[in-house]
Every structure is written in structure tokens, then in C-alpha cells.
Amino acid sequence: LVQIYDSGQLPDGTAYIIMELIRGDTLAERLKRGGRLSTGQVLRLGGQLADALAAVHEYGIVHRDIKPANLMIVGDAAATGRERLKVLDFGIAKLAQGIGAGETRPGQVMGSPLYMAPEQCRGAAGVDAKADCYAVGAVLYHMLAGRPPFDGETFAGLIFQHLHEPPEPLSARGVDAPPALLNWVMS
């Protein structure tokens, strides 16, 4: 996760957050440049993403906007593959329980439609950590296939697909990876 060093409010009321400066590529930039990632890269980066979200979920936080543009890949000599994935942009995150948990109005849709879980497509109020897990699956699908599980020209079209259509199997998109990985991503 991106490290936060301080936060507060300026005398004029403007809120601020001081975070670590990280340099690297977003996963979106890497996918745009190179298309599909290797199975090894998907396993390594996907594992790091899952670990980061597991830590966030332990604190009752739901990110709600997992997508390649919110995942930064930075150099790290200590990490396997010499790269570390950092989860960014908790701007629409919510607490699953407690203070702030009920602040999203029922029916309010929040997130990026290419990666949103069906329950999130119905409205953001009742979304929990399972929606982040669905988004991870959609991101892994994109990493393996070189494109998201659904494409459409409209927000409504993408929402419909997430709600009513299964994604095309990865094998039909020419992905050559172990069947266990393909089945796990599709689940």
C-alpha cells in the first residue's frame, strides 16, 4: 500500500494527505504498452495485490475501485521479480462497519464499470470485501487476456454485462496458462 505520513487540514479548510513519492508505471500503462503479462508476472503481481487487499480488509476497509490505473508497479530489489505492486487511490473506499460505514446512499453506483462486481453495479451501499475480490479477478483476467472481461461503449452496457452475462472463457481468448489459474480467475 502507498504509505501515508501525515494528514490534516490547512487554515483555509483544505484537507491534505502527505504520502510517499513512488515512481513506476501503473498496471494500466504496462498493459497498454505490452498487452498481456506472462503467467509468472500475473501470479507475482496478483499475489501482492491479494496480500495488500487482505490487509486492508482485516481493518474493515473496502477499496471499491480496484482497476489497473489504481495499481502502481515500482522497482523493489527486495521483492520477488524486483518489483512491488502498490494499491493507490482509496478515494471512494468505505468502512464495512462502524463510523462511516453507512455514508453511501442506497442505489448510488461508485467504481469503474470495467471491473465492478455485480452487487456494486446495483448500488454501492451494501458492497463489502467480496466486491474487491471480484475486481481482482477482473484485473487478473485483463492481465492474462490483454483486455478486460467485458467491453462496451456505454456505462449501462457494461453494467448489464456484469449483471447478466458470464465473461468469455480465458481459453477462448487464447490464454495459455495452467487450468487451475484460469479456473480461479473465472471464479
Side-chain angles (χ1 to χ4, degrees):
L1 301 172
V2 65
Q3 299 298 304
I4 297 175
Y5 299 121
D6 196 11
S7 64
Q9 197 167 21
L10 298 174
D12 70 357
T14 303
Y16 68 88
I17 300 174
I18 300 173
M19 296 182 267
E20 71 176 309
L21 173 64
I22 54 177
R23 298 181 195 276
D25 291 330
T26 65
L27 178 58
E29 292 166 337
R30 184 162 298 177
L31 289 167
K32 186 175 182 179
R33 222 179 22 253
R36 301 172 189 213
L37 300 185
S38 71
T39 301
Q41 290 174 310
V42 171
L43 289 170
R44 183 173 37 79
L45 296 173
Q48 291 177 12
L49 173 57
D51 286 345
L53 285 176
V56 168
H57 292 162
E58 281 184 31
Y59 285 95
I61 299 169
V62 183
H63 189 283
R64 298 197 298 184
D65 200 20
I66 296 298
K67 61 183 178 183
N70 286 341
L71 304 172
M72 179 76 73
I73 303 168
V74 299
D76 183 344
T80 304
R82 304 182 67 81
E83 292 182 319
R84 180 159 317 278
L85 185 131
K86 296 251 185 181
V87 180
L88 312 174
D89 195 357
F90 282 79
I92 65 168
K94 73 173 226 152
L95 295 173
Q97 299 176 22
I99 297 172
E103 292 180 4
T104 305
R105 293 185 306 259
Q108 185 177 11
V109 177
M110 301 179 84
S112 298
L114 287 171
Y115 307 95
M116 284 179 13
E119 64 271 23
Q120 193 171 0
C121 293
R122 289 185 198 99
V127 171
D128 61 17
K130 293 177 207 162
D132 284 349
C133 294
Y134 181 94
V136 169
V139 167
L140 294 175
Y141 186 105
H142 190 165
M143 292 165 75
L144 287 163
R147 63 186 203 189
F150 299 112
D151 11 25
E153 294 184 18
T154 66
F155 184 85
L158 285 167
I159 296 296
F160 181 86
Q161 290 176 67
H162 282 287
L163 289 170
H164 303 292
E165 297 177 10
E168 185 175 12
L170 283 161
S171 58
R173 292 203 171 175
V175 176
D176 183 27
L181 174 60
L182 299 181
N183 292 335
W184 181 73
V185 171
M186 294 301 291
S187 71

